[in-house]
């Protein structure tokens, strides 16, 4: 890594770390209001934390997956919803940059505009037909569009005729004024992530704002200035999986931070322990939890560093390597859950209060933990199948 890249990484990660106290202070407000405030969005913008993976030619830092993951970890340690928002917003810059050509990218990023992207691949309703010069979207809807209240542009997946009697997936981009964000994100955790459904009706979609997922993954649409930049050679499937699990480590660290504050102040009910920190059970809980968090960190950064190394050297992950990497991410998710569960055992009855920050971290983590892309059992089972010489039981490899 060059000195300039090292300095950029240090600046971005330190900016994320510096926001932890403020994000914690605002966490209950974020949860209560079910949104990130304009103040938080402006802090993230002004510190450059929403353009970690954006191309330099469009005003971004064009870093790598290690820098991205460390930034997301720090923000998530401050607030889970903010970490999720930063994770998903940044990965979309990476995705859009290799999936669309110059005309679409110029429209999206304009003359250095500091835009926010939101989207989802799988629609729950999709009536789209091919017309001259593009497509007509009669009616379509996508759920779980994280960051939708703040987005300037949206990307969505949709099925198209593959010309062989079947269907394949395509990706579109639409400006905000052509979509309707529904206020339906009424959930248990990650309430501030703004993962509402988005509806589109009677909109013309020009051809240049559509790409076939199959060709995008092969670099078919990538513009010339980005072709030799390692970041945009990073494998798509592991990177997308990384974006979903990236907040996990920061949330587990937040749980440890908050629990350790409490063990020095609170006793253990119905015992003579005036401080939890004096009790052997606490020693076992915090030691095991910290070891699990440390192990999660090792698995996470092993995978992330391989992604960056392969991208720099122009190597392609084999199917087996990609499956192992996804298993790493699933195991990170599992280890962080186990660590937080251990700490919850010592949380006491104050955990029940909705104004308890530890409880909020737990709810935010659980909402992330349940995401289908990073279900530990599924990812680890698939890895075991490959180890045993069988085909993976998923098309998403």
């Amino acid at each position: 890594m060059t000195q300039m890249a090292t300095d950029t990484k240090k600046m971005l990660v330190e900016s994320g770390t510096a926001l932890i106290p403020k994000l914690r202070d605002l966490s209950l407000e974020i949860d209560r209001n079910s949104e990130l405030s304009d103040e938080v969005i402006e802090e993230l913008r002004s510190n450059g934390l929403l353009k970690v993976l954006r191309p330099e030619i469009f005003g971004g830092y064009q870093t790598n997956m290690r820098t991205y993951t460390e930034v997301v970890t720090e923000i998530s340690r401050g607030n889970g919803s903010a970490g999720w928002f930063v994770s998903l917003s940044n990965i979309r810059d990476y995705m859009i940059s290799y999936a669309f050509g110059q005309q679409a990218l110029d429209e999206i990023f304009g003359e250095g505009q500091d835009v926010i992207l939101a989207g989802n691949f799988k629609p729950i309703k999709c009536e789209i037909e091919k017309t001259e010069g593009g497509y007509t979207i009669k009616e379509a809807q996508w759920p779980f569009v994280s960051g939708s209240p703040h987005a300037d542009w949206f990307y969505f997946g949709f099925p198209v005729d593959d010309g062989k009697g079947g269907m394949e997936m395509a990706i579109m981009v639409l400006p905000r004024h052509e979509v309707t964000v529904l206020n339906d994100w009424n959930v248990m955790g990650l309430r501030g992530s703004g993962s509402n459904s988005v509806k589109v009706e009677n909109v013309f979609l020009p051809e240049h704002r559509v790409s076939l997922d199959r060709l995008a993954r092969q670099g078919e649409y990538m513009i010339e200035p980005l072709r030799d930049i390692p970041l945009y050679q990073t494998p798509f499937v592991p990177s997308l999986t990384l974006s979903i699990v990236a907040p996990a480590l920061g949330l587990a660290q937040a749980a440890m931070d908050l629990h350790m504050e409490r063990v020095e102040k609170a006793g253990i009910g119905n015992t003579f322990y005036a401080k939890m920190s004096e009790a052997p059970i606490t020693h076992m809980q915090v030691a095991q939890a910290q070891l699990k968090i440390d192990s999660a960190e090792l698995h996470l950064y092993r995978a992330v560093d391989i992604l960056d190394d392969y991208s720099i050297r122009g190597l392609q992950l084999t199917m087996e390597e990609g499956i192992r990497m996804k298993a790493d991410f699933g195991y990170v998710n599992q280890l962080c859950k186990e660590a937080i569960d251990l700490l919850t055992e010592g949380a006491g009855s104050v955990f029940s209060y909705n104004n308890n920050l530890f409880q909020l971290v737990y709810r935010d983590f659980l909402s992330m933990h349940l995401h289908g892309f990073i279900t530990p059992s599924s990812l680890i089972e698939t890895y075991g199948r490959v180890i045993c010489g069988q085909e993976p039981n998923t098309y998403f490899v």
Side-chain angles (χ1 to χ4, degrees):
M1 185 181 291
T2 66
Q3 186 59 46
M4 182 177 294
T6 302
D7 291 345
T8 299
K9 174 186 174 182
K10 184 172 184 289
M11 179 269 292
L12 290 169
V13 175
E14 287 181 351
S15 293
T17 303
L19 285 176
I20 291 175
K22 184 168 190 175
L23 290 171
R24 284 217 184 131
D25 287 345
L26 293 171
S27 284
L28 294 177
E29 178 185 323
I30 290 169
D31 187 63
R32 184 169 56 251
N33 296 335
S34 291
E35 65 178 8
L36 297 175
S37 65
D38 291 341
E39 177 186 4
V40 170
I41 298 298
E42 183 52 38
E43 287 275 13
L44 298 173
R45 278 189 195 270
S46 62
N47 284 284
L49 300 174
L50 299 182
K51 51 185 183 181
V52 177
L53 301 182
R54 186 171 303 173
E56 288 182 356
I57 59 174
F58 297 120
Y61 289 109
Q62 194 175 286
T63 61
N64 56 22
M65 291 301 170
R66 178 72 188 226
T67 303
Y68 160 72
T69 306
E70 290 191 28
V71 166
V72 172
T73 295
E74 293 304 286
I75 297 299
S76 301
R77 196 168 186 167
N79 177 263
S81 289
W84 184 264
F85 173 74
V86 168
S87 186
L88 273 293
S89 297
N90 276 293
I91 207 68
R92 288 160 185 152
D93 278 1
Y94 147 84
M95 292 166 53
I96 294 300
S97 296
Y98 78 74
F100 289 92
Q102 192 73 56
Q103 186 176 356
L105 293 178
D106 285 344
E107 287 178 352
I108 294 167
F109 294 112
E111 297 181 4
Q113 295 180 35
D114 200 2
V115 300
I116 294 174
L117 291 150
N120 193 3
F121 277 105
K122 191 174 181 180
I124 55 175
K125 180 184 295 183
C126 195
E127 295 181 34
I128 299 177
E129 66 178 26
K130 188 75 177 71
T131 54
E132 184 177 354
Y135 296 81
T136 296
I137 306 171
K138 294 182 176 180
E139 184 178 9
Q141 186 171 320
W142 292 263
F144 303 116
V145 184
S146 300
S148 55
H150 308 286
D152 305 291
W153 282 80
F154 293 80
Y155 82 86
F156 298 117
F158 69 106
V160 295
D161 188 335
D162 67 359
K164 302 175 184 178
M167 305 297 288
E168 64 177 321
M169 288 302 292
I171 308 168
M172 69 172 82
V173 282
L174 294 169
R176 184 176 187 86
H177 69 268
E178 292 182 346
V179 313
T180 300
V181 176
L182 306 178
N183 185 21
D184 62 355
W185 187 238
N186 183 17
V187 291
M188 171 186 69
L190 296 178
R191 290 164 60 86
S193 67
S195 303
N196 300 287
S197 299
V198 173
K199 190 173 185 179
V200 180
E201 292 182 298
N202 302 318
V203 167
F204 174 70
L205 174 65
E207 195 77 57
H208 72 272
R209 289 208 245 116
V210 175
S211 70
L212 296 178
D213 181 53
R214 165 178 52 87
L215 297 180
R217 295 194 200 189
Q218 298 169 10
E220 179 77 16
Y221 307 103
M222 188 174 292
I223 62 176
E224 196 59 39
L226 303 184
R227 287 194 176 275
D228 295 326
I229 296 171
L231 173 60
Y232 306 110
Q233 312 304 318
T234 310
F236 168 73
V237 171
S239 297
L240 185 57
T241 309
L242 169 62
S243 73
I244 304 302
V245 80
L249 181 61
L251 281 163
Q253 290 170 337
M256 178 62 81
D257 292 342
L258 294 167
H259 187 67
M260 292 309 296
E261 288 177 10
R262 178 168 163 74
V263 300
E264 292 298 331
K265 301 174 183 177
I268 298 178
N270 296 313
T271 74
F272 294 119
Y273 290 114
K275 288 184 178 181
M276 295 166 63
S277 60
E278 298 169 349
I281 185 62
T282 300
H283 305 157
M284 290 297 293
Q285 287 169 343
V286 299
Q288 290 183 72
Q290 187 60 59
L291 287 167
K292 288 178 183 294
I293 293 170
D294 292 345
S295 298
E297 185 172 6
L298 290 170
H299 277 274
L300 179 63
Y301 287 121
R302 177 178 76 169
V304 170
D305 288 344
I306 290 172
L307 275 179
D308 284 339
D309 179 59
Y310 272 40
S311 300
I312 289 169
R313 294 196 287 151
L315 303 177
Q316 297 295 315
L317 288 173
T318 64
M319 183 269 288
E320 292 80 7
E321 288 171 329
I323 292 293
R324 189 189 78 170
M325 187 171 290
K326 289 178 63 181
D328 271 334
F329 294 145
Y331 198 48
V332 167
N333 188 12
Q334 177 176 312
L335 286 167
C336 290
K337 175 66 161 54
E338 291 172 0
I340 293 174
D341 283 345
L342 275 166
L343 299 174
T344 303
E345 289 177 13
S349 56
V350 296
F351 180 83
S352 300
Y353 286 100
N354 288 333
N355 64 353
N356 182 286
L357 278 180
F358 185 95
Q359 189 221 75
L360 174 55
V361 169
Y362 186 93
R363 288 190 282 112
D364 283 349
F365 180 85
L366 194 59
S367 294
M368 183 222 69
H369 173 76
L370 296 172
H371 197 290
F373 272 12
I374 56 169
T375 304
S377 57
S378 298
L379 298 183
I380 294 169
E381 180 205 346
T382 302
Y383 182 39
R385 288 178 63 88
V386 172
I387 291 175
C388 292
Q390 298 187 51
E391 290 296 311
N393 59 348
T394 176
Y395 64 89
F396 197 65
V397 297

